[in-house]
Amino acid sequence: MANQESQEKKRWLSRYRELVKTANAYYKQAGEWYDRAVSTTKPLTGLPRASSPPRTDECYAKYMDCVSVSSEYAEGASKAMRQIRDAIEAVSDEKCRELLTHRYISGLKWYEIAGVMQYDQRWILKLHGKALGMVDIKHATKRHPET
């Protein structure tokens, strides 16, 4: 399999984990804005300060923006996972399906996959190359074209 095609398949399969990371980052940021909004600490008046803290309504607006963006990324992750799961399920070899699931759905590292599957890490990397050759992106995107 051509290296460029292999790299494209890796990027395509990695979309789900990347979308989940981004959604979680926005969700965490939303929590920080919420905490600021409900904070009961009032700033001391008359003391010099660099800038005034954000108003409560500004904090709530930023909180709602972060929640909205987080939801959009989470929805995108859900759609990507359906496509990726379809592509993995279409792979004929059971061990290759297991490896792809551990790597691209569960997000395990190579040494963790080697431990779970009880193989040497070098063999896992060779098996990954074989598994990538079996992945058919076009088939999965036809079944779920929305992502």
Side-chain angles (χ1 to χ4, degrees):
M1 176 169 53
N3 191 33
Q4 185 176 0
E5 182 183 354
S6 176
Q7 293 301 318
E8 177 59 31
K9 286 182 179 183
K10 288 177 192 177
R11 275 191 299 278
W12 187 84
L13 289 164
S14 297
R15 294 174 307 139
Y16 167 68
R17 301 295 313 162
E18 292 302 316
L19 289 166
V20 167
K21 275 189 217 176
T22 305
N24 287 341
Y26 276 104
Y27 184 75
K28 180 180 177 191
Q29 191 176 17
E32 291 168 3
W33 281 111
Y34 182 81
D35 289 345
R36 287 183 191 173
V38 298
S39 174
T40 57
T41 305
K42 293 185 178 184
L44 297 173
T45 57
L47 296 176
R49 57 181 179 233
S51 64
S52 60
R55 295 187 349 230
T56 302
D57 56 340
E58 292 171 352
C59 291
Y60 276 121
K62 289 182 180 185
Y63 161 75
M64 293 304 293
D65 287 344
C66 289
V67 167
S68 176
V69 172
S70 176
S71 295
E72 289 172 15
Y73 276 100
E75 185 178 327
S78 177
K79 291 175 182 177
M81 186 175 63
R82 282 194 296 273
Q83 283 186 339
I84 293 165
R85 191 170 280 151
D86 280 353
I88 291 172
E89 288 174 0
V91 170
S92 59
D93 184 279
E94 182 181 343
K95 288 294 179 188
C96 289
R97 282 194 310 270
E98 181 181 357
L99 183 149
L100 291 169
T101 300
H102 287 315
R103 181 67 177 173
Y104 297 106
I105 300 294
S106 301
L108 297 182
K109 296 183 180 357
W110 294 119
Y111 72 90
E112 294 171 320
I113 297 169
V116 169
M117 294 181 70
Q118 298 181 348
Y119 287 129
D120 181 76
Q121 188 171 337
R122 288 174 294 181
W123 177 248
I124 290 294
L125 295 174
K126 286 181 183 181
L127 187 60
H128 179 252
K130 176 184 173 184
L132 285 177
M134 296 179 180
V135 171
D136 184 4
I137 294 173
K138 291 177 184 172
H139 170 74
T141 55
K142 285 180 185 176
R143 289 195 62 193
H144 299 286
E146 64 270 3
T147 302

